[in-house]
Amino acid sequence: MELNNVLGFPILSVATFLPTVGALLIWLLVKNETMVRWSALAFSIATFIVTLPLIFSFDRTTSHMQFEEFHHWIPAFNINYQLGVDGISMPFIVLTGLLIVICIISAWQCIQTRVKEYMIAFLILETTLIGVFSALDAILFYFFWEAMLIPMYLIIGVWGGKNRIYATLKFFLYTLAGSVLMLVALLAMHFEAGGTFSMLAFMDYPFDFTWQFWIFIAFFVAFAVKVPMWPVHTWLPDAHTEAPTAGSVILAGILLKMGAYGYLRFSLPMLPDASQYFAPMMIGLSLVAIVYISLVAMMQRDMKRLIAYSSIAHMGFVTLGTFVFTQQALEGAVINMISHGFVAAALFLCVGVMYDRLHSREIADYGGVANVMPVFAAVMLVFSMANVALPGSSAFIGEIMVLIGTFAADPMALSVSAKWIAIAAAISVVLSACYTLWMYKRVIMGDLVKDTVRSMPDMSLREFGIFVPLIVLTVWVGFYPVPVLDLLHESVAHLIDQSTTSKLDAAAAILEHATASHAAAH
Amino acid sequence: MVLEATEMTLNTTELLAIPLLPLLGALTAGLFGWFLKERLSHIITSGSVILAAILSVHVFLQVLDGAEFYGNFWTWIASGDLVVQIGMMIDPLTTIMMMTVTVVSACVHIYTIGYMHGDPGYARFFSYISAFTFSMLVLVMGNSFFTLFFGWEAVGLFSYLLIGFWFKRDSANKAAMKAFIVNRVGDFGFAIGILAVWYYFGTVDYREVFAQVQGLVASGSTMSFLGWEMDTITFICLALFVGAMGKSGQVPLHVWLPDSMEGPTPISALIHAATMVTAGVFMVARLSPMFEYSEVALAAVVIVGAITAFMCATIGLVQNDIKRVIAYSTCSQLGYMFVACGVSAYSAGIFHLMTHAYFKALLFLAAGSVIHAVMSNQDIRKMGQLRKYMPITYITMLLAGLALAGIPPFAGYYSKDLIIEATYARGMGWTSEIAYYALMSGVFMTAFYTFRMFFLTFHNSDRVPAATKSHLHESPWVITLPLVILAVGAVVAGYWGYHYMNMADEVIVDGYFRNSIFVMDAHNSIAMLEMLEEDHTQSHFWLEYGAFVLAVLGILTATLMYFKETKVPAAIAKTFRPIHTFLYNKWYWDELYDFLFVRPIQKLGQFFWQTGDLRLIDKGMIHGGIIGTVKNGAAMLKNIQSGMVYHYAYAMVIGVFGLLTYLMLNA
């Protein structure tokens, strides 16, 4: 088997397992808490640096998987250790690398109990996240997908807020329920596709419609929980509110992307006919997310809950862009995912900065923060405006591309004219402004009336420093998204091709062939 | 219609410098204001904007000689067929906007040095107004719908930041938020317009779009809207026009503009009078090659403009806040500009935009000078006789008032008269007829409320509170100098534009605007006007002098009622109590919106949250359904959570693989 890896070096494995190695070393060797922090930071930075060649050596002219690795894992069941990335998955690996560094720095002071376990949890989490985005074997993917729950569960359950037990339980049950169905679906595909677990083989195998139909439903549930889509979204606000700041950052920044990534990697290319069939439903749910969830967000009294709802609404744009099958919408969806990784992560960090000072997430406990924290107010303004998708922010690029791609979508595939879908989604222009600015007004603006707020010091250099890369990236992608889009073009074009090419004829041919050879055998 | 390539082009570096200089100033003052302190902050920002103004005038002169520029600088977005370039299109329409924006902005910068002196947010303020200037320049200089939208949103952002500049004041914060959200309602339309433009034309570049409009119209393409079939071009124009309505404070999206007066006065002059709010008018004129092909869209522009012109003038009659009177006047005057565009007298609309920018900025800055003198009081009932203390402010405001009222030879006379006459001549049926009467009655009201405010401030009886008395003084030169500069504009801009610049030529291409504005022959209202006036079989007295007579009557009425303290105003208010209350409460738009949108939407959000998420999904689906059935399992999980989480985690992984193995072995 020819492996496409220009580096000639297992970069994905290194990126995946370097954090685990770090976690092990810290567990075994490091005693002192300060040293734990520094060594965790060192390993996260090292991992981030390892991921960078993925961008610089990436071949933008092909949709093929790159940096591939292949080893037999469990030959008896044809399970292989197969890694590789394309333009869709690669950016998320780098983003993971960056956000974990930010998470570790952001927890520098606010985590004082079980520091070692905390850092280990984050490093292991990094392994599972990078693993999910690089796996090309369904079982390997599933392994990382499930394993990720453990550190995340611990992060919320151990270092979370007052209601953390309820939140972790809800988080766990929801995602587990989805995952079980996914496992069933993977096994079903395995047997139907002739005993392989290769995701690429699943993409090529012509499943007939009935198979596609049921497998799509199983995947739909698994991924919808993760996105999350209405009506299986209610675990997210709880998980976010109870999670420590860094937990929210990684949850919003990366974990939410995995559901949408699942649709892009599994549902669309493997089940094109079912994807087309279910597209109206997916679009409908996306619109519900955009409108219903935005209205719910508006009424929130807890900042983290508000941003969590806002995340769900933004993910509505991602799922919308995924299921209209146009180049612009799909690229917009991916840009939206990346952008949301900057913006939502930064907004949760903002809340974290305030929480560290007042130990409250209630909007009503704040007001007039700008008086005492002008620098912080400016930083939060940048991300509030990005959350509103103002041009010049990365979110604008994502949203306008999804809207443009939706407007131009082929109306034949949908029961309603795609134009009206785009117009309905564009309501977000107004709603996102409502909930974001209203929160900003109540928290940041206004006179100083509360003594507690009066005593809030402005951000430290460390706190400010973690926002700098996120500001730079948000604005950079906002003004010059072309390099990022270049990464996507080929992979997305290929994906559009896959998801709009019916597998049914080929499936019928196989059936015919099977029947014919069966008859011939007799 | 298609803009042809020109032989003469402009210097790219110079063109780029015009928006980038203010941006650089803004970034410097914004990031290093703490270090630069007041003096350096204002020198850097004002200096860069003044330089941009000088360059703009230079470009203006070159374009006057026939130069034009069209070019792209970099690719913003590229995906499949979607290619969005960032570039510039410089033609007469652009340069008149550039010059207006930078000159007014430069005046406002200088004025701000005096006005904001000692404010804790001094550098921040300069940073914002310079950044605003940059955004506005992008808006007018861009060559595609995306650059227009970029500038559009950016000016909205800085408008938001500047209205809420005094963020300690709750009313300012509310007004800022309201401005942003109402503008976003307009932007919703704008965004849909852009989507449709790209879908139907396959490009967002002005030139390429304009070149295809005729083809689209000829193809008979239609779109159904709520079961109502309309031409595609009409749909696109109406959607875009919704954006223009939001930005330019047109009914029913005007509610934010009067409230924006919560911001410091210099920005009321710059953003909420002279430049940003005129972006909608600019948009319609810029897109004249599209609007011209949609009778429905043009009629909508006329109607919306006429209603706004009339309604906001009536509200202005009874307001007591000096800035609010001028703000309603701005809404109303913007209505005039839209009517001009709607009757295809785009050149008259832009001409009025330019003259209005000078005299309205002047009115605001003069009002600011007054407010400064009377220690931040804005209630004209507590002013009076101020002319004794501030002669320069008094004279300049008088000039601005005369210009606004439309008294020759001041600036407003030329442009406003032209709009009214063109509306009369256009003959679009009932739409332009209604508009004509709305504008004519607006002339009387404009003259009246302007001089009501003027007399109550500078004449009438002295009602200044004793405590403020000792503080009364003329403002320093940094404040009065911009007043004088703008006063020159308020006096001569009309004459200059009409006679020297030929801004109202009946053949557009022969006049100032050349190819930058497109008017169909059948719509050319200014040519129709010429023909009407050449027809000597009828008397044209009312057409030619009607507006002037009404303006004089308005001023006379105001003089009778307010020059000296009389009992007439109170008596009138008492006699017509219901009407007065209705106008004083601004036709109850805020209350209506509160009832129609704000409260229902909050209720809906609350319902979705409490009933949808918490009761139905969480309690019903999860607790009742899933958790109920796995109750035992949950109880077990609870036990495990007390410290032995690692065990559980491992158990899960093992479990997963156990399940996996089991399934595979059984296969």
Side-chain angles (χ1 to χ4, degrees):
Chain A
M1 184 173 158
E2 199 66 25
L3 291 180
N4 177 9
N5 188 347
V6 285
L7 294 173
F9 154 77
I11 182 169
L12 290 173
S13 288
V14 174
T16 307
F17 291 105
L18 187 61
T20 304
V21 172
L24 277 173
L25 290 177
I26 291 172
W27 180 49
L28 294 173
L29 301 177
V30 188
K31 295 273 182 291
N32 177 313
E33 279 190 1
T34 316
M35 279 310 293
V36 167
R37 293 195 177 99
W38 281 107
S39 36
L41 181 63
F43 274 102
S44 64
I45 291 177
T47 310
F48 177 52
I49 292 172
V50 167
T51 63
L52 290 179
L54 292 176
I55 295 185
F56 300 120
S57 307
F58 191 82
D59 181 358
R60 290 161 169 74
T61 60
T62 174
S63 62
H64 282 290
M65 291 297 164
Q66 305 184 30
F67 311 106
E68 281 184 304
E69 293 171 37
F70 186 92
H71 300 285
H72 293 289
W73 184 16
I74 311 174
F77 306 118
N78 201 6
I79 298 173
N80 300 307
Y81 179 81
Q82 189 181 358
L83 301 180
V85 289
D86 64 356
I88 295 172
S89 51
M90 188 276 284
F92 294 100
I93 295 180
V94 186
L95 184 63
T96 307
L98 174 70
L99 285 182
I100 294 284
V101 175
I102 287 176
C103 284
I104 285 177
I105 302 176
S106 78
W108 211 255
Q109 271 165 3
C110 61
I111 298 297
Q112 291 294 349
T113 53
R114 298 174 186 267
V115 179
K116 190 172 181 174
E117 287 82 351
Y118 184 88
M119 295 299 174
I120 290 174
F122 264 93
L123 289 172
I124 300 221
L125 183 63
E126 181 167 22
T127 289
T128 60
L129 292 172
I130 295 180
V132 162
F133 289 114
S134 28
L136 287 182
D137 181 277
I139 295 302
L140 189 63
F141 176 88
Y142 185 77
F143 168 77
F144 286 125
W145 178 278
E146 288 294 288
M148 178 203 69
L149 287 179
I150 304 160
M152 199 59 223
Y153 172 87
L154 294 173
I155 288 166
I156 302 176
V158 177
W159 293 276
K162 287 187 205 78
N163 232 340
R164 59 182 183 270
I165 302 302
Y166 172 72
T168 40
L169 195 67
K170 205 165 167 182
F171 164 70
F172 208 91
L173 287 179
Y174 260 105
T175 31
L176 199 66
S179 310
V180 169
L181 284 174
M182 177 165 78
L183 181 62
V184 173
L186 292 178
L187 293 174
M189 289 169 96
H190 166 75
F191 295 120
E192 171 65 14
T196 174
F197 277 111
S198 162
M199 285 154 62
L200 298 175
F202 288 168
M203 291 177 194
D204 292 336
Y205 184 81
F207 296 101
D208 72 21
F209 190 76
T210 320
W211 278 101
Q212 289 194 33
F213 182 90
W214 292 107
I215 295 170
F216 186 94
I217 289 179
F219 278 151
F220 162 67
V221 176
F223 299 143
V225 166
K226 265 287 196 299
V227 170
M229 297 174 81
W230 186 88
V232 286
H233 65 282
T234 59
W235 63 270
L236 185 75
D238 285 313
H240 265 308
T241 17
E242 298 308 326
T245 301
S248 291
V249 169
I250 207 72
L251 187 56
I254 303 294
L255 263 74
L256 293 197
K257 313 296 147 33
M258 292 178 25
Y261 176 70
Y263 288 125
L264 295 175
R265 184 95 319 155
F266 286 84
S267 307
L268 254 52
M270 296 177 194
L271 317 164
D273 302 289
S275 296
Q276 299 278 350
Y277 179 81
F278 282 106
M281 177 185 85
M282 303 302 289
I283 290 168
L285 291 177
S286 308
L287 292 181
V288 170
I290 293 170
V291 178
Y292 171 112
I293 297 294
S294 294
L295 290 174
V296 175
M298 211 179 296
M299 300 317 295
Q300 297 307 308
R301 297 185 275 260
D302 178 313
M303 288 187 277
K304 273 188 143 183
R305 206 169 269 275
L306 193 153
I307 302 167
Y309 274 110
S310 140
S311 291
I312 304 171
H314 282 93
M315 292 312 285
F317 267 95
V318 175
T319 44
L320 174 66
T322 306
F323 282 92
V324 294
F325 313 106
T326 58
Q327 179 90 14
Q328 290 84 20
L330 210 69
E331 289 186 12
V334 179
I335 294 280
N336 241 327
M337 287 155 76
I338 297 172
S339 158
H340 185 259
F342 310 145
V343 178
L347 282 173
F348 280 116
L349 285 169
C350 284
V351 178
V353 166
M354 289 190 278
Y355 184 82
D356 288 345
R357 285 160 176 72
L358 282 200
H359 297 284
S360 167
R361 299 179 308 257
E362 291 288 315
I363 291 173
D365 287 344
Y366 292 85
V369 171
N371 293 288
V372 285
M373 304 178 70
V375 178
F376 173 76
V379 168
M380 184 142 168
L381 179 75
V382 170
F383 291 109
S384 297
M385 286 301 160
N387 204 40
V388 174
L390 215 67
S393 72
S394 50
F396 170 73
I397 306 290
E399 287 191 13
I400 197 76
M401 286 180 71
V402 168
L403 289 176
I404 277 187
T406 305
F407 199 90
D410 180 7
M412 298 302 284
L414 306 161
S415 47
V416 215
S417 163
K419 295 178 191 66
W420 300 110
I421 295 165
I423 290 171
I427 290 176
S428 161
V429 168
V430 182
L431 296 179
S432 64
C434 290
Y435 59 73
T436 312
L437 293 191
W438 195 25
M439 175 177 82
Y440 190 80
K441 171 185 168 289
R442 286 177 292 171
V443 173
I444 304 292
M445 316 242 270
D447 203 358
L448 266 182
V449 282
K450 298 186 181 64
D451 287 335
T452 42
V453 176
R454 203 182 297 272
S455 62
M456 288 167 77
D458 209 338
M459 287 191 293
S460 66
L461 208 58
R462 174 185 63 83
E463 284 172 320
F464 180 68
I466 54 180
F467 287 108
V468 171
L470 294 173
I471 293 176
V472 170
L473 286 168
T474 306
V475 175
W476 182 46
V477 176
F479 278 95
Y480 193 51
V482 170
V484 186
L485 290 169
D486 279 346
L487 297 175
L488 300 176
H489 292 322
E490 289 304 321
S491 300
V492 168
H494 180 59
L495 179 55
I496 296 281
D497 195 37
Q498 286 175 316
S499 56
T500 50
T501 311
S502 172
K503 284 183 170 181
L504 299 185
D505 288 344
I510 286 187
L511 192 67
E512 213 168 277
H513 182 72
T515 328
S517 53
H518 191 70
H522 281 273
Chain B
M1 183 188 93
V2 183
L3 300 160
E4 265 133 40
T6 45
E7 300 91 56
M8 282 180 70
T9 65
L10 297 153
N11 183 334
T12 317
T13 319
E14 183 179 11
L15 289 176
L16 279 171
I18 293 172
L20 291 182
L21 276 168
L23 177 66
L24 217 62
L27 288 174
T28 318
L31 295 176
F32 307 108
W34 52 274
F35 172 74
L36 297 169
K37 300 288 183 304
E38 288 203 355
R39 205 179 151 74
L40 276 173
S41 297
H42 73 231
I43 288 176
I44 291 170
T45 48
S46 311
S48 61
V49 171
I50 291 171
L51 203 56
I54 293 170
L55 293 177
S56 295
V57 173
H58 183 231
V59 169
F60 175 81
L61 293 174
Q62 286 173 278
V63 170
L64 212 53
D65 285 342
E68 274 178 24
F69 178 86
Y70 183 93
N72 289 315
F73 299 119
W74 91 84
T75 305
W76 190 8
I77 305 174
S79 164
D81 321 330
L82 172 71
V83 178
V84 179
Q85 307 264 9
I86 298 211
M88 284 182 183
M89 174 157 129
I90 309 296
D91 59 13
L93 176 60
T94 318
T95 48
I96 189 78
M97 293 297 293
M98 284 161 63
M99 196 170 70
T100 310
V101 168
T102 50
V103 169
V104 175
S105 177
C107 289
V108 167
H109 271 78
I110 298 170
Y111 179 92
T112 303
I113 297 171
Y115 195 85
M116 297 300 284
H117 176 71
D119 193 285
Y122 192 82
R124 182 165 60 97
F125 191 85
F126 273 97
S127 168
Y128 288 170
I129 54 176
S130 284
F132 166 79
T133 310
F134 157 76
S135 316
M136 192 67 205
L137 286 167
V138 172
L139 193 160
V140 298
M141 294 170 83
N143 67 350
S144 76
F145 287 86
F146 265 70
T147 40
L148 180 65
F149 192 68
F150 175 87
W152 198 266
E153 294 291 285
V155 292
L157 167 67
F158 291 108
S159 162
Y160 164 80
L161 291 172
L162 285 161
I163 296 170
F165 182 77
W166 285 317
F167 58 81
K168 285 177 198 281
R169 294 210 317 230
D170 198 47
S171 56
N173 299 334
K174 275 198 187 123
M177 197 172 80
K178 184 172 173 185
F180 197 93
I181 290 171
V182 174
N183 264 293
R184 278 256 148 173
V185 175
D187 296 344
F188 167 64
F190 192 170
I192 290 168
I194 292 181
L195 301 183
V197 163
W198 186 75
Y199 179 71
Y200 287 103
F201 298 109
T203 171
V204 288
D205 180 288
Y206 288 149
R207 275 192 182 186
E208 291 170 21
V209 170
F210 296 165
Q212 295 178 48
V213 173
Q214 217 168 356
L216 179 78
V217 174
S219 75
S221 161
T222 59
M223 248 188 104
S224 75
F225 176 75
L226 303 173
W228 177 35
E229 202 77 0
M230 67 163 85
D231 292 339
T232 303
I233 190 74
T234 299
F235 174 82
I236 295 175
C237 289
L238 287 178
L240 293 168
F241 180 57
V242 171
M245 284 159 69
K247 202 51 91 198
S248 294
Q250 297 296 294
V251 175
L253 299 179
H254 68 289
V255 289
W256 66 272
L257 185 53
D259 285 18
S260 75
M261 296 300 126
E262 287 292 338
T265 308
I267 66 117
S268 307
L270 176 62
I271 301 183
H272 305 119
T275 58
M276 183 187 85
V277 289
T278 61
V281 182
F282 167 76
M283 180 217 254
V284 176
R286 176 88 286 171
L287 304 181
S288 54
M290 297 169 76
F291 277 82
E292 278 298 288
Y293 283 96
S294 171
E295 303 281 343
V296 178
L298 286 176
V301 175
V302 170
I303 291 295
V304 168
I307 293 175
T308 313
F310 176 80
M311 193 195 79
C312 290
T314 62
I315 299 174
L317 296 174
V318 297
Q319 298 302 313
N320 289 324
D321 182 316
I322 186 168
K323 285 179 73 182
R324 275 186 191 255
V325 175
I326 312 178
Y328 278 106
S329 160
T330 305
C331 278
S332 171
Q333 294 301 309
L334 288 165
Y336 279 80
M337 297 175 210
F338 276 112
V339 172
C341 293
V343 298
S344 301
Y346 303 96
S347 51
I350 295 294
F351 183 27
H352 193 51
L353 187 163
M354 190 238 340
T355 58
H356 176 262
Y358 293 118
F359 64 71
K360 190 52 73 63
L362 174 56
L363 268 181
F364 266 119
L365 293 185
S369 173
V370 168
I371 294 166
H372 202 61
V374 297
M375 299 172 77
S376 303
N377 165 43
Q378 303 190 4
D379 192 334
I380 47 178
R381 286 170 301 188
K382 292 182 192 151
M383 295 177 189
Q385 292 293 343
L386 292 181
R387 71 175 191 285
K388 293 176 189 161
Y389 306 96
M390 26 198 351
I392 303 177
T393 308
Y394 170 68
I395 298 284
T396 50
M397 196 156 189
L398 176 63
L399 296 175
L402 290 169
L404 171 58
I407 301 296
F410 301 101
Y413 165 74
Y414 292 93
S415 50
K416 199 201 283 180
D417 219 42
L418 186 64
I419 292 176
I420 294 168
E421 290 177 17
T423 308
Y424 179 83
R426 174 69 169 84
M428 291 166 85
W430 62 273
T431 42
S432 65
E433 251 168 61
I434 287 179
Y436 177 70
Y437 290 112
L439 297 192
M440 282 295 259
S441 51
V443 170
F444 174 81
M445 291 189 283
T446 307
F448 176 81
Y449 65 65
T450 310
F451 279 87
R452 169 180 174 267
M453 172 203 72
F454 180 76
F455 290 140
L456 283 173
T457 310
F458 292 104
H459 291 273
N460 210 295
S461 60
D462 186 345
R463 302 171 308 280
V464 181
T468 330
K469 215 68 188 247
S470 57
H471 188 260
L472 284 177
H473 60 84
E474 180 60 280
S475 301
W477 71 269
V478 279
I479 289 186
T480 53
L481 175 70
L483 297 185
V484 173
I485 297 174
L486 288 170
V488 174
V491 174
V492 304
Y495 189 82
W496 174 76
Y498 194 84
H499 291 290
Y500 287 100
M501 289 296 111
N502 205 5
M503 284 203 182
D505 202 294
E506 74 269 20
V507 185
I508 297 276
V509 287
D510 291 349
Y512 168 78
F513 289 102
R514 302 204 296 263
N515 281 323
S516 60
I517 284 173
F518 168 71
V519 179
M520 279 187 187
D521 288 341
H523 293 172
N524 192 340
S525 48
I526 296 178
M528 292 173 189
L529 178 66
E530 297 284 320
M531 272 171 52
L532 205 63
E533 282 174 347
E534 277 162 21
D535 172 16
H536 293 292
T537 55
Q538 291 174 351
S539 159
H540 301 300
F541 176 81
W542 191 243
L543 172 65
E544 287 178 31
Y545 302 106
F548 170 65
V549 169
L550 284 173
V552 172
L553 279 177
I555 296 177
L556 280 177
T557 317
T559 315
L560 289 174
M561 286 169 73
Y562 294 103
F563 187 72
K564 290 256 156 42
E565 190 173 8
T566 63
K567 301 226 180 319
V568 184
I572 293 178
K574 201 173 173 189
T575 318
F576 300 100
R577 174 69 58 203
I579 298 178
H580 185 267
T581 315
F582 182 67
L583 296 182
Y584 188 74
N585 288 301
K586 312 156 219 159
W587 291 38
Y588 293 101
W589 280 98
D590 285 332
E591 288 77 4
L592 182 71
Y593 281 172
D594 197 52
F595 174 74
L596 281 182
F597 300 112
V598 180
R599 268 181 282 165
I601 284 177
Q602 290 193 348
K603 269 193 192 139
L604 196 61
Q606 196 72 15
F607 172 79
F608 282 157
W609 180 31
Q610 296 291 342
T611 308
D613 268 24
L614 297 184
R615 199 156 305 145
L616 291 177
I617 296 177
D618 269 6
K619 287 236 170 63
M621 217 169 88
I622 306 310
H623 290 231
I626 297 171
I627 292 195
T629 49
V630 294
K631 212 172 183 177
N632 298 333
M636 210 170 73
L637 287 177
K638 250 185 194 163
N639 291 335
I640 295 168
Q641 271 176 351
S642 53
M644 296 188 290
V645 269
Y646 283 99
H647 294 197
Y648 177 63
Y650 285 121
M652 196 204 77
V653 175
I654 293 163
V656 166
F657 278 90
L659 184 70
L660 207 63
T661 318
Y662 174 78
L663 286 168
M664 282 184 299
L665 289 178
N666 276 297

